Amino acid sequence: MPDPHHTGKEGERVSDRTFQVLGAIRGLGDGPHALRAIVGRTTLSRSTVQRHIVSGLRNGFIRQPSHGHYALADEPENWTIPAHQALLAPGASKQSLAALSRESGHTASLHVAVLTDVPMQMCVARQSETADPQLPHEELGSPHPLDADAAGLAILAHLDLPHTDLEQRQAIRCRGWVASAGPAAGTLMIAAPIIRFGVPVGSLSLIGLAEAFRSTLPHCVGSLRRAVTALSRAAVQPAAGRSHRTLQNDHT
């Protein structure tokens, strides 16, 4: 995790800065908040914060109820597909899921963490190179509790929440992945978290017949962890153009 007190570190990812800005707005409590206050809770320059606020506005994470004042989006529904778009660079999810499914021979899914008062996870993208009739079709964007399956447990392991099993969370963190029963009888799900700036923003999962995993589990885990590492490094595109110039004229 980057040192939050070390500013201007060369190579700091755009995604890290985005989540630092989102965390600053959340830390200020119920909004809206002036740009000056948001900047004051980060280690970033005003222009950098402005750029990432524009990106948040465009992708539905942030709202602007009044001139020069910003708050996090109100409804969890606003975080579903926009979260998918902001989580990854354009095309990264489709390419990564296709490659992961092809390499493992199982259904690959991308899950987004919805870190509100009641943390949830949503499956927002799925890819299967070989359609398996035994796997039920799950509607994309359906919220699930974090303890419902491996995709949520991978996220939960990196959250310091009360009433959770610390030993289990530490074991998952140490191993880097977690397994659970799949959505249909005789299936297995394995998942690993996507971490940005120390925050679990989502997870990747593989689902297939448990029997098929018996001899290929180490290979599948390796493929899953490589894909997660790549997606954790994928950058969120900064906003540009007219919106950026408009924001620069905001007064605090």
Side-chain angles (χ1 to χ4, degrees):
M1 178 176 173
D3 181 355
H5 299 293
H6 188 170
T7 60
K9 183 188 289 185
E10 188 175 352
E12 183 184 19
R13 294 189 296 275
V14 173
S15 56
D16 293 345
R17 298 168 188 165
T18 299
F19 285 105
Q20 189 177 162
V21 171
L22 292 174
I25 298 174
R26 184 172 186 174
L28 286 167
D30 293 336
H33 307 290
L35 178 61
R36 180 186 305 163
I38 298 169
V39 172
R41 288 188 68 93
T42 73
T43 60
L44 307 173
S45 68
R46 178 187 174 95
S47 62
T48 298
V49 172
Q50 289 175 331
R51 186 166 66 250
H52 292 286
I53 284 179
V54 168
S55 180
L57 289 168
R58 184 183 61 193
N59 287 297
F61 284 105
I62 297 172
R63 58 190 175 91
Q64 184 181 7
S66 60
H67 184 69
H69 290 74
Y70 309 93
L72 294 182
D74 293 318
E75 299 298 326
E77 288 77 11
N78 293 341
W79 290 64
T80 312
I81 300 305
H84 176 206
Q85 294 169 343
L87 184 61
L88 304 172
S93 61
K94 184 176 180 180
Q95 295 168 7
S96 296
L97 290 177
L100 179 57
S101 178
R102 186 168 56 249
E103 188 175 337
S104 67
H106 299 298
T107 299
S109 301
L110 172 67
H111 308 259
V112 167
V114 184
L115 304 181
T116 55
D117 290 341
V118 181
M120 307 282 279
Q121 62 95 353
M122 296 182 187
C123 180
V124 294
R126 184 181 295 110
Q127 181 72 32
S128 181
E129 294 296 302
T130 55
D132 191 331
Q134 299 191 56
L135 296 180
H137 175 73
E138 178 191 12
E139 184 182 355
L140 296 182
S142 299
H144 294 282
L146 292 183
D147 59 0
D149 54 32
L153 290 173
I155 297 168
L156 183 61
H158 292 266
L159 296 174
D160 187 18
L161 298 178
H163 313 301
T164 55
D165 189 327
L166 179 59
E167 239 179 74
Q168 182 190 48
R169 288 193 289 115
Q170 288 178 332
I172 295 172
R173 284 190 184 193
C174 182
R175 190 167 58 243
W177 62 280
V178 60
S180 73
T187 63
L188 182 75
M189 174 189 281
I190 64 173
I194 301 172
I195 307 294
R196 295 279 181 81
F197 204 57
V199 177
V201 297
S203 63
L204 271 184
S205 73
L206 286 173
I207 302 174
L209 294 174
E211 185 65 30
F213 273 110
R214 286 186 184 277
S215 60
T216 62
L217 185 60
H219 167 75
C220 291
V221 168
S223 298
L224 180 66
R225 296 193 67 176
R226 284 192 294 274
V228 160
T229 298
L231 292 184
S232 294
R233 293 172 178 170
V236 178
Q237 280 198 324
R242 186 168 178 268
S243 295
H244 187 194
R245 290 192 298 270
T246 300
L247 182 61
Q248 285 180 317
N249 293 327
D250 286 351
H251 298 289
T252 58

